[in-house]
Amino acid sequence: MIDLKNSIDVLLGIFALVAIVYRISHMEAAIYREIDKVSDELRKEVHLIQMDFFTHKTDYTVRKEWQSDIARGLKQMIKHKSSRLNFHIIDIQRHLEKHTGFIIRSQPVADPDEDENEN
């Protein structure tokens, strides 16, 4: 009778160990599935963030080029208006000197581009 009891104890022990190993393997598999799921979600989020970054970077580059083109155009327009105004001033000075004898003090005319080159 003792042998039967020992045999049943051994069989129940082995069955309990198998059940514990089976449960642990299922828990391990569930943990790895969750890790893979989180990894996939994280990978998708990183990809979306990268795409947003590249979109904003491209937008920034386009805006920067557009603003520099506008600034260059305004600078050329101001230079053109300044040179036309300077021409009219010189024309008025010559007219006054020729017809009225009025002599205007000579002041050096500053070129707006020279100020930028000095910096």
Side-chain angles (χ1 to χ4, degrees):
M1 182 106 169
I2 294 180
D3 287 37
L4 182 62
K5 183 180 183 276
N6 285 338
S7 299
I8 291 175
D9 285 344
V10 169
L11 284 176
L12 287 176
I14 291 173
F15 181 73
L17 287 175
V18 169
I20 290 171
V21 169
Y22 180 77
R23 179 70 179 147
I24 289 174
S25 67
H26 273 282
M27 289 175 58
E28 182 183 17
I31 289 171
Y32 282 123
R33 276 194 304 271
E34 288 299 318
I35 288 173
D36 288 341
K37 196 183 304 181
V38 169
S39 175
D40 290 342
E41 290 174 7
L42 183 63
R43 193 171 291 123
K44 288 176 185 175
E45 284 294 320
V46 167
H47 180 71
L48 289 175
I49 290 171
Q50 284 178 340
M51 294 305 292
D52 284 345
F53 173 74
F54 289 132
T55 302
H56 289 296
K57 185 178 173 185
T58 304
D59 186 41
Y60 169 77
T61 304
V62 168
R63 283 187 188 183
K64 185 178 175 184
E65 290 175 4
W66 178 74
Q67 288 173 350
S68 67
D69 288 344
I70 287 178
R72 192 177 315 113
L74 289 174
K75 182 180 173 185
Q76 289 175 352
M77 190 183 306
I78 290 170
K79 183 178 178 183
H80 175 72
K81 296 289 182 180
S82 174
S83 66
R84 285 186 61 194
L85 180 63
N86 193 21
F87 171 75
H88 287 300
I89 290 172
I90 291 172
D91 190 36
I92 291 170
Q93 286 176 350
R94 287 184 185 150
H95 177 75
L96 288 175
E97 286 178 19
K98 183 177 180 184
H99 291 292
T100 63
F102 183 75
I103 298 175
I104 298 175
R105 285 187 276 166
S106 63
Q107 294 179 352
V109 177
D111 188 12
D113 290 333
E114 289 179 6
D115 293 338
E116 290 179 9
N117 294 335
E118 290 176 2
N119 293 332

